Amino acid sequence: MKKTLFVIGTICLCMLSSLIIPHTSFAEKNLEDIQKERKDIKENLSATEKEVTTILTEIKEMNEEIEEYNATLKANKKAIKEVEKEIESVEDEIDALEKKIEERFEILKERAQSYQTNGGDVGYLEVILGAKDFNEFISRLTAITKITDADAELIKEQEKDKEKVEKKLEELEGLKKELKAIEANIVEQKEISLHKKEALEEKQTELKDKVAKLEIKDEELASLEDKILGEMAAPISGGTSFAVQTVDGGGALGWPTQGGYISSHMGERWGKMHKGIDIARTDRSTSPPIFAADDGTVETAGFNNGGYGNMVIINHGNGLKTLYAHMSSINVRSGQTVSRGQQIGVMGETGDSQGIHLHFEVHLNGALQNPVSYLR
Ligand SMILES: [Zn+2]
């Protein structure tokens, strides 16, 4: 019964082939170009997206740097304020000391006056009172050895105090200068980081633009691809569909998945021999089941490193074997008996695969067969 159907199917296919090959081979060539272009776009997209990720990391680093500068600037400002406060208090100290020295000057003048009143040396008084300012007064006093030890000691101490405070003021002003220099440097560094960040953000916008454009182009190509596939699937003779098989065609083998269409035929493809047919999903949001094309025994079930990914081979007897590749998961084990239409896995893109599809091969006595001949 099956054999008869198979023979009829083959005859039908031969008749169909002569009618449809001129139509499909042109569309297929276009389709392959489109699919190749989409593959390039996909690669370009993934590279661009990687670049965007790198830039995002760099922007994050820049933000961290700017934050650090802000924190340092804040701490620096605080330090400057503290130094300014200290400068103020030291200046007050100097003022107080100057006042004290002024007072001491008055006391010494009075003492000199009383010395004269009590019959002291008039020349001595004249010399001292003739001083224009305190410094001259001190030097004149020092010159006249008649001054008492206590007086000399007092003046010396006051001079020392003033010197000390003035030195402290100098140090503080130096520190303030240093802090101001640090501040200027950080402001400059921060400015550089801000510019860098701006440039990175500009580049990011550019790349996002590029991604958007590539996505639009890919969408255009996808709809073109769908259109060509639709044309390939259009009724050619007697209202039958060549590429789209949504039901068991009643041939030697059953359609190995739910719905879908042949997205690539057997034969030379991109300089390589394509050993079977590819069946793609009609609805891109689903994960269609994969069915055993006929009764048989599972010969192989597992991951294949040669590019097939998750792969199942079923031996149907009489030298006929079918191969199912790229599945996302496998439902059967090696040695298991399966019946026609039984689910053996789920459509996927494991192994060397461009997008989710089923790669389906038919072997008869070890020789590759065109699966299409068996499905009709
Ligand atoms: Zn394939």
Side-chain angles (χ1 to χ4, degrees), residues 233-273:
I236 288 145
S237 66
T240 50
S241 156
F242 175 73
V244 172
Q245 284 267 355
T246 52
V247 286
D248 175 0
L253 298 172
W255 185 249
T257 183
Q258 202 168 62
Y261 54 87
I262 297 171
S263 58
S264 185
H265 282 269
M266 189 170 144
E268 187 113 342
R269 192 173 69 165
W270 300 333
K272 265 166 83 183
M273 176 63 185

Side-chain angles (χ1 to χ4, degrees), residues 269 274 278 357 359:
R269 192 173 69 165
H274 191 221
D278 289 341
H357 74 278
H359 173 85

Side-chain angles (χ1 to χ4, degrees), residues 158-375:
Q158 304 233 315
E159 266 185 329
K160 251 194 230 160
D161 277 356
K162 203 185 160 193
E163 246 171 60
K164 229 199 249 166
V165 182
E166 272 170 349
K167 204 177 165 199
K168 199 175 171 191
L169 182 67
E170 218 174 274
E171 274 171 15
L172 285 168
E173 258 151 11
L175 185 59
K176 190 181 163 183
K177 229 184 193 172
E178 245 173 73
L179 288 169
K180 285 273 182 195
I182 289 169
E183 188 184 36
N185 184 48
I186 292 165
V187 166
E188 205 186 311
Q189 294 293 320
K190 189 184 155 184
E191 207 54 37
I192 291 168
S193 295
L194 281 168
H195 280 311
K196 246 192 227 168
K197 188 189 159 188
E198 245 172 65
L200 284 168
E201 279 169 346
E202 235 168 77
K203 179 89 184 156
Q204 188 196 7
T205 311
E206 255 172 54
L207 288 171
K208 279 188 174 168
D209 236 49
K210 191 180 166 190
V211 166
K213 272 180 194 151
L214 284 169
E215 276 169 351
I216 287 166
K217 179 80 186 158
D218 187 52
E219 255 170 57
E220 279 170 11
L221 286 170
S223 70
L224 198 59
E225 188 182 2
D226 284 347
K227 203 181 148 210
I228 290 172
L229 287 167
E231 275 166 14
M232 281 168 75
I236 288 145
S237 66
T240 50
S241 156
F242 175 73
V244 172
Q245 284 267 355
T246 52
V247 286
D248 175 0
L253 298 172
W255 185 249
T257 183
Q258 202 168 62
Y261 54 87
I262 297 171
S263 58
S264 185
H265 282 269
M266 189 170 144
E268 187 113 342
R269 192 173 69 165
W270 300 333
K272 265 166 83 183
M273 176 63 185
H274 191 221
K275 294 172 158 184
I277 58 167
D278 289 341
I279 300 173
R281 299 170 295 171
T282 316
D283 181 354
R284 278 165 208 256
S285 65
T286 57
S287 304
I290 303 300
F291 304 131
D294 202 359
D295 297 344
T297 309
V298 176
E299 194 177 272
T300 307
F303 192 84
N304 170 276
N305 286 318
Y308 285 112
N310 282 325
M311 177 188 81
V312 167
I313 295 173
I314 299 173
N315 189 339
H316 304 287
N318 295 325
L320 189 68
K321 289 178 187 180
T322 49
L323 182 152
Y324 314 75
H326 310 313
M327 286 186 277
S328 66
S329 61
I330 295 172
N331 293 26
V332 291
R333 285 184 319 277
S334 176
Q336 190 180 329
T337 306
V338 289
S339 48
R340 187 186 176 99
Q342 182 181 332
Q343 185 173 355
I344 57 165
V346 176
M347 196 185 277
E349 52 180 339
T350 54
D352 187 10
S353 166
Q354 286 289 324
I356 293 171
H357 74 278
L358 169 70
H359 173 85
F360 180 64
E361 287 178 19
V362 177
H363 298 246
L364 184 64
N365 299 320
L368 274 175
Q369 305 293 305
N370 190 342
V372 174
S373 317
Y374 289 78
L375 293 169

